[in-house]
């Protein structure tokens, strides 16, 4: 059995490699993904782009930008606000506030 401080341990079976991460059983394909993810973490790399994308911290601290993005995402698109089981019978209703807007579902 192989192991390290990450909690990853491996043991080899004749048919397939089986591993565990913190008690969860892994199979060959999952194990390959874990190995790749650990290698990317260790090497500060990714297999989706040539390099990591860096965004200035100011982008996350700008209140005007935040409000604009929230409005664009949640103010102009349909939103799923309830499951059908929350309005089980005729005349059922649910009231809530979404993005400072009162909503009545019937």
């Amino acid at each position: 059995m192989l192991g390290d401080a990450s909690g990853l341990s491996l043991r080899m079976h004749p048919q397939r490699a089986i591993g565990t991460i913190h008690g969860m059983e892994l199979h060959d394909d999952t194990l390959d993904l874990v190995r790749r993810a650990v290698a990317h973490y260790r090497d500060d790399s990714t297999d989706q782009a040539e390099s990591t994308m860096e965004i200035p911290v100011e982008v996350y601290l700008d209140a005007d930008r935040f409000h604009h993005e929230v409005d664009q995402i949640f103010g102009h698109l349909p939103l799923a606000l309830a499951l059908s089981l929350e309005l089980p019978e005729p005349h059922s209703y649910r009231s809530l506030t979404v993005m400072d807007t009162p909503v009545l579902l019937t």
Side-chain angles (χ1 to χ4, degrees), residues 1-2 12 14 16 20-21 35 48 52-53 56 58 60 65 69 81 85 90 94 97:
M1 183 174 298
L2 304 171
M12 301 305 288
R16 62 182 180 173
T20 61
I21 292 183
R35 285 185 179 128
Q48 297 183 12
T52 56
M53 183 173 137
E58 292 79 22
Y60 299 99
R65 181 185 181 117
E69 288 180 358
L81 299 178
L85 63 90
R94 180 168 183 223
T97 301

Side-chain angles (χ1 to χ4, degrees), residues 6 14 19 27 30 33 44 50 54 58 60-62 69 73 81-83 85 88 90-91 96 100-101 103:
S6 71
H27 299 279
T30 307
L33 291 172
D44 194 26
E50 289 297 317
E54 294 185 17
E58 292 79 22
Y60 299 99
L61 301 176
D62 186 333
E69 288 180 358
I73 294 168
L81 299 178
L83 299 173
L85 63 90
H91 309 295
L96 60 152
D100 297 324
T101 302
V103 177

Side-chain angles (χ1 to χ4, degrees), residues 30-48:
T30 307
L31 198 53
D32 290 339
L33 291 172
V34 170
R35 285 185 179 128
R36 199 168 81 214
V38 169
H40 283 309
Y41 176 78
R42 182 189 59 234
D43 300 336
D44 194 26
S45 65
T46 177
D47 57 9
Q48 297 183 12

